[in-house]
Amino acid sequence: MRQFFILFIFGIILTFSSCRTDFDTVANSGNLKFSKDTVYLDTVFKNIGSGTYQLKVYNKSKDDISIPTIQLKNGLNSKYRMTVDGTSGNNGKIFKDITLLAKDSLYIFIETTADITDANPTDFLYTDQIQFDSGANLQEVALVTLIQDAVFLYPKQNPDGTKEKIKIDDKDVDGFYLDENDPVNGNELLFTNQKPYVIYGFAGVPENKTVTFQAGARVFFHANSGLYVATKASLQINGTASVTEKLENEVIFEGDRLESLYDNIPGQWNSVIFANGSKNHAINHLTLKNAITGLNLKNPDNSTTIQIKNTQIYNSAEYGILAQNAHIIGENIVINSAGLATLSCVYGGDYIFTHCTFNNNWQNSAQFAVNLSNSLAGATPETNPLTQATFNNCIIYGSSSNEFNLNKNANTPFVYQLNNCLLKFSSSSTNPDYQFKTDVAHYNQIILNENPKFFNISQNKLNIDNTSAAFAKGNQAYVIPLDIMGKTRTSPPDLGAYQSAAFPK
């Protein structure tokens, strides 16, 4: 009994001791430490909420301290908002009597939603400070955000509260048709480089209309959004070569999450969809990133040729280009990383690709860099002639054993030829379709399974130098005089979209 009594008294002492420590704090002395002295929130569009950013606050002393106030300098008028150790304080702006234990830390999470009018008119920066304590103990951490003005295009609200919709593949999706006489935006069929554009839902190009993108245009798509080119409608992308890494003259399509974390995340938006019977398309100097499918050509008018030149497509969740019975002439195209195929030409069609680089390092056993087929399940009829699929001076490579796939229906024409190409196909095959060294009707001067030594695949830099297996292996008969960057090709030319150079640093 005496032992139980001693243990009981000892437990009470421990309980009171631990409770007392929780409340035995000293005043903050202004010696807090921070994980950073400035929190830079990535660029945001006006009135669109930012991502969440983190600041860690350290108490390096041996004492538990009490911080009388943690607040935004602009107080309740600040466009920033915070949570401090999971609490929201006064509207996320002002926090009172925060306890920070000895040798411990706390987290502050910061977000913002601001208008362009809130920013400094000379540099478009919106700034504030997080203030810790006051007077002699005052410490501050700066907050900086670049606010970008933009033209916002989105479905209108119907009187019954539902969103405007358009029909794609017989399905109603959130969307709207671009208006050349819009009372607010003016001509929505002309995308200029004056301001970026942010699109919610599918922006449709009406029948018998043409949408034009001028050099330097920037288009940001929200989740599940895209561009839809309707039957008899046309798309013209008129980018030009840039002289800096900012791609100032390129037309750029990407998702609307501007934080660096999202730079290379696939599937952030849907696709550019070309409807059955759309026509007269031309694409030059387009960079398209992080879509589900980059260019989705759904049986466009096969009486006209689609020109795709000097175009880069990166990080597609499914396909870089999915072409269904299309007629494409492609020059200086680079497609890197796609969940299924960087280029997939199905249900026949007519294709010529010259000086193109198709690389797929997606970790998927079913992936291909290039897939060709003359059939389509569920179509009527299910096969369609592949009248031509020619690849000249191209690179077809990736991380899979075989990056080139032929899906042939023997009863329907299937015409293909590879001339002076570097090709990844490392599995031995007795299939007559893959006899790269002996089948001269389909394969000429094939470099098989040699590394092109791209500069940095994960950063979408598929440049090569003179150590590459693709160096000076092209045929001058197929040469495109300038590469994708506007650099003059030598004789003999390199394979792929890039003329070799010293790697960028």
Side-chain angles (χ1 to χ4, degrees):
M1 177 67 73
R2 185 166 179 262
Q3 289 177 329
F4 284 116
F5 179 74
I6 293 172
L7 286 172
F8 175 73
I9 296 298
F10 184 66
I12 292 175
I13 292 170
L14 281 176
T15 300
F16 277 99
S17 298
S18 59
C19 290
R20 185 171 180 271
T21 301
D22 288 342
F23 296 97
D24 190 11
T25 63
V26 301
N28 174 49
S29 60
N31 291 313
L32 298 170
K33 303 297 181 184
F34 308 104
S35 57
K36 56 191 76 172
D37 57 14
T38 302
V39 178
Y40 294 97
L41 286 78
D42 284 329
T43 304
V44 296
F45 293 113
K46 65 175 186 177
N47 295 324
I48 300 297
S50 72
T52 302
Y53 296 79
Q54 173 186 299
L55 174 71
K56 200 170 184 181
V57 183
Y58 302 93
N59 174 15
K60 301 287 189 179
S61 74
K62 298 179 181 179
D63 298 315
D64 301 340
I65 64 172
S66 177
I67 308 169
T69 58
I70 298 176
Q71 64 181 19
L72 293 162
K73 184 175 181 179
N74 291 333
L76 295 175
N77 294 321
S78 179
K79 300 299 180 180
Y80 292 100
R81 54 193 177 274
M82 305 183 294
T83 59
V84 176
D85 254 10
T87 65
S88 57
N90 186 352
N91 292 316
K93 319 289 186 180
I94 302 171
F95 300 79
K96 298 286 189 180
D97 300 321
I98 304 299
T99 298
L100 183 52
L101 301 181
K103 306 295 183 182
D104 203 355
S105 60
L106 62 81
Y107 284 96
I108 296 178
F109 295 99
I110 308 124
E111 300 174 338
T112 189
T113 304
D115 193 275
I116 192 71
T117 57
D118 299 314
N120 185 320
T122 60
D123 56 17
F124 303 106
L125 294 177
Y126 179 68
T127 61
D128 202 344
Q129 292 85 37
I130 306 175
Q131 295 184 325
F132 298 83
D133 215 326
S134 59
N137 294 330
L138 176 65
Q139 294 177 270
E140 294 181 320
V141 172
L143 304 175
V144 180
T145 308
L146 177 64
I147 310 296
Q148 193 163 356
D149 199 4
V151 176
F152 290 86
L153 304 172
Y154 48 87
K156 295 181 176 64
Q157 194 92 351
N158 294 320
D160 62 359
T162 61
K163 287 183 180 179
E164 182 182 7
K165 295 184 182 295
I166 63 174
K167 195 174 290 293
I168 300 178
D169 293 340
D170 296 325
K171 295 179 181 179
D172 289 328
V173 300
D174 290 344
F176 59 98
Y177 280 102
L178 297 167
D179 185 354
E180 58 189 332
N181 296 300
D182 185 81
V184 175
N185 299 320
N187 185 2
E188 293 178 338
L189 290 170
L190 178 63
F191 286 70
T192 72
N193 58 14
Q194 299 304 301
K195 289 182 182 181
Y197 296 79
V198 182
I199 293 178
Y200 288 75
F202 270 89
V205 185
E207 287 190 18
N208 300 309
K209 298 293 183 181
T210 298
V211 64
T212 301
F213 295 83
Q214 292 183 345
R218 301 289 189 262
V219 185
F220 298 86
F221 294 90
H222 194 61
N224 301 315
S225 298
L227 183 66
Y228 176 66
V229 188
T231 301
K232 299 181 182 178
S234 303
L235 173 104
Q236 298 286 315
I237 293 180
N238 299 327
T240 59
S242 301
V243 296
T244 74
E245 289 188 354
K246 293 181 178 180
L247 301 177
E248 65 278 0
N249 296 323
E250 197 88 355
V251 173
I252 299 180
F253 290 176
E254 60 183 310
D256 67 347
R257 295 302 299 267
L258 303 185
E259 303 95 318
S260 56
L261 173 67
Y262 291 86
D263 283 351
N264 295 307
I265 294 181
Q268 295 180 45
W269 57 286
N270 195 292
S271 182
V272 179
I273 298 176
F274 300 80
N276 185 345
S278 63
K279 60 183 182 180
N280 299 331
H281 311 301
I283 298 172
N284 196 10
H285 284 287
L286 168 68
T287 294
L288 189 157
K289 301 187 292 185
N290 306 330
I292 294 175
T293 291
L295 303 179
N296 190 349
L297 299 121
K298 293 177 176 289
N299 202 14
D301 185 343
N302 211 14
S303 65
T304 60
T305 299
I306 302 170
Q307 304 248 355
I308 305 176
K309 299 181 179 181
N310 307 305
T311 289
Q312 306 170 66
I313 301 176
Y314 300 130
N315 308 319
S316 303
E318 294 183 358
Y319 300 96
I321 295 178
L322 175 59
Q324 178 179 309
N325 190 29
H327 186 180
I328 297 175
I329 293 181
E331 300 175 357
N332 289 334
I333 296 173
V334 178
I335 311 181
N336 186 35
S337 189
L340 297 175
T342 57
L343 172 69
S344 186
C345 301
V346 301
Y347 202 45
D350 190 298
Y351 309 95
I352 303 175
F353 294 100
T354 304
H355 277 294
C356 295
T357 300
F358 305 106
N359 183 75
N360 201 358
N361 274 53
W362 197 282
Q363 297 305 309
N364 181 348
S365 60
Q367 77 184 43
F368 297 105
V370 172
N371 174 63
L372 302 177
S373 174
N374 59 356
S375 63
L376 182 66
T380 305
E382 285 202 352
T383 63
N384 212 38
L386 180 66
T387 57
Q388 178 178 209
T390 300
F391 297 81
N392 302 316
N393 291 352
C394 291
I395 297 173
I396 300 171
Y397 202 74
S399 58
S400 186
S401 297
N402 303 324
E403 291 290 352
F404 181 66
N405 185 61
L406 303 174
N407 181 18
K408 298 171 63 174
N409 183 295
N411 298 318
T412 304
F414 194 103
V415 180
Y416 64 99
Q417 188 171 57
L418 278 66
N419 301 308
N420 298 83
C421 292
L422 187 155
L423 178 65
K424 176 77 172 289
F425 197 102
S426 58
S427 298
S428 59
S429 177
T430 58
N431 188 325
D433 294 334
Y434 301 108
Q435 303 307 309
F436 304 107
K437 298 298 184 181
T438 58
D439 180 6
V440 295
H442 296 107
Y443 305 105
N444 294 291
Q445 300 299 312
I446 302 301
I447 300 170
L448 200 59
N449 302 319
E450 293 192 32
N451 195 336
K453 296 184 179 178
F454 297 127
F455 172 54
N456 192 319
I457 292 169
S458 64
Q459 295 181 13
N460 295 317
K461 294 182 178 180
L462 272 60
N463 318 67
I464 63 170
D465 70 1
N466 59 10
T467 66
S468 170
F471 173 72
K473 295 299 193 302
N475 189 328
Q476 193 68 24
Y478 310 120
V479 72
I480 306 298
L482 301 179
D483 79 348
I484 191 170
M485 305 303 292
K487 184 177 179 181
T488 301
R489 284 193 165 94
T490 57
S491 180
D494 301 330
L495 303 182
Y498 292 100
Q499 177 64 26
S500 58
F503 282 152
K505 296 181 179 179

